Amino acid sequence: MSTITPLTTLPAWAALTRHYEQINGTHLRDLFAEDPGRAERMVIEGAGLFLDYSKNRITDETVTLLVQLAEETGLRAQIEKMFNGDKINSTEERAVLHTALRAPEGASVLQDGENVVPAVHAVLARMAGFSERIRSGAWKGQSGLPIKSIVNIGIGGSDLGPVMAYEALKHYSDRSLSFRFVSNVDGTDFLEAVQGLDPAQTLFIVCSKTFDTLETITNAESARDWLLKAFGGDETAIAHHFVAVSTNKEKVGDFGIDVANMFEFWDWVGGRYSMDAAIGLSTMLAIGPERFGELLAGFHEMDVHFRETPFARNLPVLMGLLSVWYNNFFGMQSLAVLPYEQYLKRFPAYLQQLTMESNGKSITLDGERVDYQTGPIYWGEPGTNGQHSFYQLIHQGTRIIPCDFIAFVHPLTELGRHHDLLMANVFAQSEALAIGKTEDEVKKEGTKEKLVPHKVFEGNRPSNTILADRLTPKTLGRLVALYEHIVFTQGAIWGINPFDQWGVQLGKLLAQQIIPDLENPAEPTLRHNTSTNNLIRRYRRIKKGLS
Ligand code: G6Q
């Protein structure tokens, strides 16, 4: 029996359905023409970010109704539950406390009656001490040489955050150290990552919450072999060249890494919410402890904004609600995140996991199947590159794709006119999408009759523009936390659990069953689906050189 009022029976849902009928036929061109104050009114400044949301297919009434929906679904109470350490990840019976990872020293966040903040800061202090030793050259490899290359081994949440943050903050990184990231079980990933590295000056960080992930353990074993080969099999080298980040001390020890070289985190931190836990060790090594502290401060600023700001002025709440508006009422299926900042080139990939692993669910917290759409498909690439590839579909395709443009007033690297040109493009794109170009306008340009329909831009394509001052560690923290809380807002509206990932399990289990079928020297009896059986037989046959 359901204990939660089904989403589609809420009064705000019905009101939004009626409101959608009224607004669907309205063009953004008219919304702007009829309301001169729109652009000034529909902006929010919060937690160091500026959001212009005026180019959305909304009126003030839409915002009122969306906020009403958030109230009726209990978003406010859900937010408090998260911050207070309630076990809101109900299918795994865990608290969801990534916000405690960036709580300032001296704050109190209770988990099962215990304040977790001192433990968080104790790990941060150990990470800082270790980072200083590596960065200063005090930490020596097996042969007495300082570390020059750091290889992060991890996958999913133990990889995407570290890679994205390293790329995003490269400007602030110690360029005398090189950083590489290995995630895929495809051996090419490992071999390419260690290509040209000197084992005597290489440090591996094995990042795994569980320390039993097939890809990570396989890569870590290959790393151990690679290192030991260079040191004639002397296992004492491991302590100088391997550290671990995990919640699982026992397995770290079993692997052969000294637990003194392990940086801990906790089961109340989800993998995709862990880049600001010890999983961010590579980030700290790259930018130093002080700047890592600024990153955490940025996250925390957004946490406070999310928790304390009224919904209509709350960046993550409003952006989350707008995505619900498009996803559930307009039936738009995807959402593009388009950073106009080359350093954010891995940000869309990072967001794909954050958003889609979190809200790619079809069962409510009550165990009922949803009768509405949940997580949209997130994707994107940095501008202006994307403009010369997939933007065509965003401008003139049959599907409408709401866009989040992210841009910065100041570039990190000054180079002639480049930044003004970049910014001119981001401003131009959102205007072209919203306003478009009418048939009359195209004709007035003297366009040949038969080309006119091809050159018409419908417009009415929605977007948000986030304009920040400069990409600093703090701003990155604010941006990541913004999307974390957008995901939270969406999940609360849809009544699903954004913090589990059961969908990843089935494929993992099946792979485990197939491994012996591939490695068995004798012909195995295959009991899979017939297509899978055929593929396995063909693979075995060709691999053995039989055709
Ligand atoms: C993230 C997911 C998943 C996880 C990886 C790696 O939220 O749970 O992407 O991070 O499967 O897991 P380990 O860190 O346990 O190796």
Side-chain angles (χ1 to χ4, degrees), residues 411-425:
L412 292 178
T413 49
E414 293 279 359
L415 185 61
R417 303 167 63 212
H418 284 247
H419 196 62
D420 281 344
L421 302 187
L422 179 74
M423 295 303 286
N425 273 280

PDB file of all heavy atoms in Angstrom, residues 411-425:
ATOM      1  N   PRO A 411      38.705  34.834 -18.167  1.00  0.00           N
ATOM      2  CA  PRO A 411      39.322  33.563 -18.539  1.00  0.00           C
ATOM      3  C   PRO A 411      40.497  33.268 -17.602  1.00  0.00           C
ATOM      4  O   PRO A 411      40.984  34.168 -16.932  1.00  0.00           O
ATOM      5  CB  PRO A 411      39.840  33.853 -19.949  1.00  0.00           C
ATOM      6  CG  PRO A 411      40.154  35.314 -19.936  1.00  0.00           C
ATOM      7  CD  PRO A 411      39.155  35.955 -19.007  1.00  0.00           C
ATOM      8  N   LEU A 412      40.936  32.037 -17.579  1.00  0.00           N
ATOM      9  CA  LEU A 412      42.122  31.722 -16.778  1.00  0.00           C
ATOM     10  C   LEU A 412      43.386  31.964 -17.580  1.00  0.00           C
ATOM     11  O   LEU A 412      44.463  32.094 -17.025  1.00  0.00           O
ATOM     12  CB  LEU A 412      42.060  30.269 -16.291  1.00  0.00           C
ATOM     13  CG  LEU A 412      40.952  30.006 -15.276  1.00  0.00           C
ATOM     14  CD1 LEU A 412      40.916  28.541 -14.881  1.00  0.00           C
ATOM     15  CD2 LEU A 412      41.135  30.865 -14.039  1.00  0.00           C
ATOM     16  N   THR A 413      43.229  31.977 -18.874  1.00  0.00           N
ATOM     17  CA  THR A 413      44.389  32.240 -19.722  1.00  0.00           C
ATOM     18  C   THR A 413      44.014  33.372 -20.681  1.00  0.00           C
ATOM     19  O   THR A 413      43.005  33.272 -21.381  1.00  0.00           O
ATOM     20  CB  THR A 413      44.739  30.991 -20.550  1.00  0.00           C
ATOM     21  OG1 THR A 413      43.549  30.513 -21.156  1.00  0.00           O
ATOM     22  CG2 THR A 413      45.332  29.896 -19.702  1.00  0.00           C
ATOM     23  N   GLU A 414      44.794  34.422 -20.662  1.00  0.00           N
ATOM     24  CA  GLU A 414      44.518  35.574 -21.542  1.00  0.00           C
ATOM     25  C   GLU A 414      45.213  35.338 -22.873  1.00  0.00           C
ATOM     26  O   GLU A 414      46.410  35.038 -22.891  1.00  0.00           O
ATOM     27  CB  GLU A 414      45.089  36.859 -20.929  1.00  0.00           C
ATOM     28  CG  GLU A 414      44.406  37.303 -19.652  1.00  0.00           C
ATOM     29  CD  GLU A 414      43.106  38.060 -19.892  1.00  0.00           C
ATOM     30  OE1 GLU A 414      42.737  38.268 -21.072  1.00  0.00           O
ATOM     31  OE2 GLU A 414      42.462  38.429 -18.896  1.00  0.00           O
ATOM     32  N   LEU A 415      44.496  35.466 -23.938  1.00  0.00           N
ATOM     33  CA  LEU A 415      45.131  35.327 -25.239  1.00  0.00           C
ATOM     34  C   LEU A 415      44.369  36.194 -26.242  1.00  0.00           C
ATOM     35  O   LEU A 415      43.301  35.799 -26.734  1.00  0.00           O
ATOM     36  CB  LEU A 415      45.123  33.847 -25.672  1.00  0.00           C
ATOM     37  CG  LEU A 415      45.866  33.534 -26.969  1.00  0.00           C
ATOM     38  CD1 LEU A 415      47.342  33.891 -26.877  1.00  0.00           C
ATOM     39  CD2 LEU A 415      45.715  32.052 -27.319  1.00  0.00           C
ATOM     40  N   GLY A 416      44.899  37.374 -26.483  1.00  0.00           N
ATOM     41  CA  GLY A 416      44.311  38.281 -27.479  1.00  0.00           C
ATOM     42  C   GLY A 416      42.809  38.435 -27.298  1.00  0.00           C
ATOM     43  O   GLY A 416      42.315  38.660 -26.195  1.00  0.00           O
ATOM     44  N   ARG A 417      42.073  38.267 -28.409  1.00  0.00           N
ATOM     45  CA  ARG A 417      40.617  38.472 -28.403  1.00  0.00           C
ATOM     46  C   ARG A 417      39.841  37.221 -28.034  1.00  0.00           C
ATOM     47  O   ARG A 417      38.613  37.228 -28.026  1.00  0.00           O
ATOM     48  CB  ARG A 417      40.154  38.885 -29.814  1.00  0.00           C
ATOM     49  CG  ARG A 417      40.810  40.108 -30.375  1.00  0.00           C
ATOM     50  CD  ARG A 417      40.502  40.192 -31.869  1.00  0.00           C
ATOM     51  NE  ARG A 417      39.085  40.348 -32.144  1.00  0.00           N
ATOM     52  CZ  ARG A 417      38.466  39.860 -33.232  1.00  0.00           C
ATOM     53  NH1 ARG A 417      39.151  39.165 -34.120  1.00  0.00           N
ATOM     54  NH2 ARG A 417      37.190  40.050 -33.414  1.00  0.00           N
ATOM     55  N   HIS A 418      40.566  36.121 -27.787  1.00  0.00           N
ATOM     56  CA  HIS A 418      39.883  34.831 -27.650  1.00  0.00           C
ATOM     57  C   HIS A 418      38.672  34.855 -26.721  1.00  0.00           C
ATOM     58  O   HIS A 418      37.623  34.317 -27.055  1.00  0.00           O
ATOM     59  CB  HIS A 418      40.869  33.757 -27.170  1.00  0.00           C
ATOM     60  CG  HIS A 418      41.797  33.273 -28.248  1.00  0.00           C
ATOM     61  ND1 HIS A 418      41.753  31.992 -28.758  1.00  0.00           N
ATOM     62  CD2 HIS A 418      42.776  33.897 -28.920  1.00  0.00           C
ATOM     63  CE1 HIS A 418      42.684  31.854 -29.687  1.00  0.00           C
ATOM     64  NE2 HIS A 418      43.321  32.999 -29.815  1.00  0.00           N
ATOM     65  N   HIS A 419      38.849  35.456 -25.549  1.00  0.00           N
ATOM     66  CA  HIS A 419      37.761  35.334 -24.582  1.00  0.00           C
ATOM     67  C   HIS A 419      36.506  36.085 -25.018  1.00  0.00           C
ATOM     68  O   HIS A 419      35.387  35.580 -24.850  1.00  0.00           O
ATOM     69  CB  HIS A 419      38.205  35.761 -23.183  1.00  0.00           C
ATOM     70  CG  HIS A 419      37.246  35.287 -22.134  1.00  0.00           C
ATOM     71  ND1 HIS A 419      36.998  33.948 -21.902  1.00  0.00           N
ATOM     72  CD2 HIS A 419      36.425  35.964 -21.302  1.00  0.00           C
ATOM     73  CE1 HIS A 419      36.084  33.827 -20.963  1.00  0.00           C
ATOM     74  NE2 HIS A 419      35.714  35.030 -20.578  1.00  0.00           N
ATOM     75  N   ASP A 420      36.681  37.259 -25.587  1.00  0.00           N
ATOM     76  CA  ASP A 420      35.500  37.999 -26.073  1.00  0.00           C
ATOM     77  C   ASP A 420      34.795  37.208 -27.179  1.00  0.00           C
ATOM     78  O   ASP A 420      33.558  37.180 -27.252  1.00  0.00           O
ATOM     79  CB  ASP A 420      35.901  39.381 -26.608  1.00  0.00           C
ATOM     80  CG  ASP A 420      36.131  40.372 -25.475  1.00  0.00           C
ATOM     81  OD1 ASP A 420      35.691  40.084 -24.344  1.00  0.00           O
ATOM     82  OD2 ASP A 420      36.766  41.412 -25.718  1.00  0.00           O
ATOM     83  N   LEU A 421      35.585  36.556 -28.003  1.00  0.00           N
ATOM     84  CA  LEU A 421      34.973  35.768 -29.091  1.00  0.00           C
ATOM     85  C   LEU A 421      34.192  34.592 -28.510  1.00  0.00           C
ATOM     86  O   LEU A 421      33.088  34.271 -28.952  1.00  0.00           O
ATOM     87  CB  LEU A 421      36.039  35.263 -30.068  1.00  0.00           C
ATOM     88  CG  LEU A 421      36.928  36.324 -30.744  1.00  0.00           C
ATOM     89  CD1 LEU A 421      37.824  35.701 -31.805  1.00  0.00           C
ATOM     90  CD2 LEU A 421      36.079  37.424 -31.384  1.00  0.00           C
ATOM     91  N   LEU A 422      34.793  33.967 -27.501  1.00  0.00           N
ATOM     92  CA  LEU A 422      34.123  32.841 -26.843  1.00  0.00           C
ATOM     93  C   LEU A 422      32.798  33.299 -26.233  1.00  0.00           C
ATOM     94  O   LEU A 422      31.745  32.680 -26.424  1.00  0.00           O
ATOM     95  CB  LEU A 422      35.052  32.275 -25.754  1.00  0.00           C
ATOM     96  CG  LEU A 422      34.528  31.116 -24.925  1.00  0.00           C
ATOM     97  CD1 LEU A 422      34.520  29.825 -25.750  1.00  0.00           C
ATOM     98  CD2 LEU A 422      35.390  30.898 -23.676  1.00  0.00           C
ATOM     99  N   MET A 423      32.855  34.427 -25.526  1.00  0.00           N
ATOM    100  CA  MET A 423      31.661  34.923 -24.843  1.00  0.00           C
ATOM    101  C   MET A 423      30.600  35.395 -25.836  1.00  0.00           C
ATOM    102  O   MET A 423      29.400  35.220 -25.614  1.00  0.00           O
ATOM    103  CB  MET A 423      32.035  36.059 -23.884  1.00  0.00           C
ATOM    104  CG  MET A 423      32.918  35.615 -22.745  1.00  0.00           C
ATOM    105  SD  MET A 423      32.192  34.295 -21.760  1.00  0.00           S
ATOM    106  CE  MET A 423      30.936  35.194 -20.860  1.00  0.00           C
ATOM    107  N   ALA A 424      31.053  35.990 -26.930  1.00  0.00           N
ATOM    108  CA  ALA A 424      30.085  36.422 -27.954  1.00  0.00           C
ATOM    109  C   ALA A 424      29.304  35.204 -28.440  1.00  0.00           C
ATOM    110  O   ALA A 424      28.089  35.271 -28.674  1.00  0.00           O
ATOM    111  CB  ALA A 424      30.818  37.075 -29.124  1.00  0.00           C
ATOM    112  N   ASN A 425      29.978  34.086 -28.550  1.00  0.00           N
ATOM    113  CA  ASN A 425      29.316  32.874 -29.018  1.00  0.00           C
ATOM    114  C   ASN A 425      28.304  32.342 -28.016  1.00  0.00           C
ATOM    115  O   ASN A 425      27.209  31.935 -28.389  1.00  0.00           O
ATOM    116  CB  ASN A 425      30.355  31.804 -29.356  1.00  0.00           C
ATOM    117  CG  ASN A 425      30.840  31.953 -30.780  1.00  0.00           C
ATOM    118  OD1 ASN A 425      30.168  31.522 -31.708  1.00  0.00           O
ATOM    119  ND2 ASN A 425      31.975  32.612 -30.961  1.00  0.00           N
TER     120      ASN A 425
END
